[in-house]
């Protein structure tokens, strides 16, 4: 299992997540509880699947900053800051430290309205590169970087419709450690359309520069604007 399962777990846990108190403050402690809300003017979201995350913490920092610190965690976790509603013309700036040990992603993440699913603009990753396991449909160039494009199609049992997970994967990835850059989502959407992938962003849902981990360890301190 890889991080490509995030959309399915997000959708299945949506009702439970939305039951959390909006705007609740997160504190840095072992196994930070799932939550979402607004911190210093930015939407944040933190979630784990509860599978062995006793050493996983999420901390909101000043402005658009956040920290995720996890050690020998099992299963999925993700956290980050962004915006409560999505925009197809979003330009997200980020900088900070992304230092994974194992399977992890740093990306702009959101949900699609059509085709049903989610998308990521993946700036850096740990040991797992999804383009090693799924066909590359083409490349796009945005903000001076080249990205490989993939469409992962899921057929979840008992769920309709089919799930499409669209990725732009930076090639080469940003080296682990200090990272800095901008993500122009409109550029990626136009590039995907040129490859026959016409993706409509679901503006009713959040859009977050997110740190994800799966059965791994790592440290991420990111500031977005």
């Amino acid at each position: 299992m890889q991080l490509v399962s995030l959309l399915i777990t997000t959708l299945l846990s949506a009702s439970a997540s939305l039951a959390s108190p909006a705007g609740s403050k997160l504190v840095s402690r072992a196994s930070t509880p799932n939550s979402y809300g607004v911190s210093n003017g930015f939407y944040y979201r933190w979630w784990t699947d509860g599978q062995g995350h006793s050493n996983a913490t999420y901390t909101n920092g000043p402005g658009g900053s956040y920290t995720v610190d996890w050690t020998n965690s099992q299963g999925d976790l993700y956290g980050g800051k962004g915006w409560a509603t999505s925009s197809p013309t979003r330009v997200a700036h980020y900088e900070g430290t992304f230092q994974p040990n194992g399977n992890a992603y740093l990306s702009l993440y959101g949900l699609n309205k059509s085709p049903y699913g989610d998308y990521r603009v993946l700036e850096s990753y740990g040991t797992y590169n999804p383009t090693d396991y799924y066909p590359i449909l083409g490349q796009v160039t945005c903000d001076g970087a080249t990205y490989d494009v993939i469409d992962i199609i899921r057929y979840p049992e008992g769920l309709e419709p089919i799930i499409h997970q669209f990725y732009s994967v930076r090639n080469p990835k940003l080296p682990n450690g200090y990272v800095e850059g901008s993500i122009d989502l409109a550029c990626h959407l136009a590039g995907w359309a040129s490859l026959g992938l016409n993706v409509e962003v679901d503006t009713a849902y959040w859009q977050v520069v997110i740190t994800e981990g799966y059965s791994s360890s790592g440290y991420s301190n990111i500031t977005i604007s």
Side-chain angles (χ1 to χ4, degrees):
M1 180 180 180
Q2 296 86 25
L3 289 170
V4 292
S5 65
L6 177 58
L7 171 78
I8 299 171
T9 55
T10 297
L11 294 174
L12 290 176
S13 65
S15 59
S17 297
L18 292 175
S20 302
S24 61
K25 296 289 186 180
L26 295 184
V27 296
S28 180
R29 64 178 181 270
S31 189
T32 305
N34 295 352
S35 191
Y36 76 100
V38 177
S39 170
N40 297 313
F42 289 90
Y43 180 84
Y44 73 86
R45 196 168 188 92
W46 166 250
W47 179 88
T48 79
D49 62 5
Q51 302 298 312
H53 297 296
S54 60
N55 294 315
T57 64
Y58 175 89
T59 307
N60 283 318
S65 68
Y66 72 88
T67 299
V68 180
D69 193 352
W70 72 105
T71 304
N72 297 325
S73 291
Q74 305 300 311
D76 292 315
L77 61 85
Y78 68 85
K81 273 186 174 180
W83 300 269
T85 56
S86 297
S87 169
T89 59
R90 179 81 63 202
V91 178
H93 306 279
Y94 64 88
E95 65 175 320
T97 300
F98 175 67
Q99 192 65 61
N101 181 14
N103 190 356
Y105 290 166
L106 176 68
S107 65
L108 177 67
Y109 176 82
L111 301 182
N112 314 326
K113 186 173 183 179
S114 177
Y116 182 71
D118 64 1
Y119 61 86
R120 288 180 183 81
V121 179
L122 183 53
E123 297 290 277
S124 191
Y125 51 86
T127 54
Y128 178 81
N129 178 356
T131 66
D132 290 338
Y133 300 91
Y134 297 93
I136 296 173
L137 305 178
Q139 292 184 322
V140 299
T141 300
C142 296
D143 294 303
T146 300
Y147 295 78
D148 297 325
V149 178
I150 59 176
D151 174 13
I152 301 172
I153 301 174
R154 296 275 173 185
Y155 302 89
E157 184 177 354
L159 290 178
E160 296 292 343
I162 294 169
I163 291 173
H164 287 261
Q165 298 183 295
F166 298 99
Y167 283 66
S168 280
V169 181
R170 189 168 179 141
N171 184 10
K173 71 176 183 178
L174 290 178
N176 297 157
Y178 178 75
V179 292
E180 181 180 11
S182 295
I183 300 169
D184 183 350
L185 184 58
C187 179
H188 289 272
L189 292 171
W192 297 346
S194 72
L195 298 173
L197 306 173
N198 295 298
V199 180
E200 181 183 358
V201 170
D202 194 333
T203 57
Y205 286 90
W206 43 272
Q207 195 172 48
V208 175
V209 176
I210 208 165
T211 297
E212 304 174 51
Y214 177 74
S215 295
S216 60
S217 301
Y219 174 82
S220 181
N221 175 241
I222 301 295
T223 299
I224 65 132
S225 61

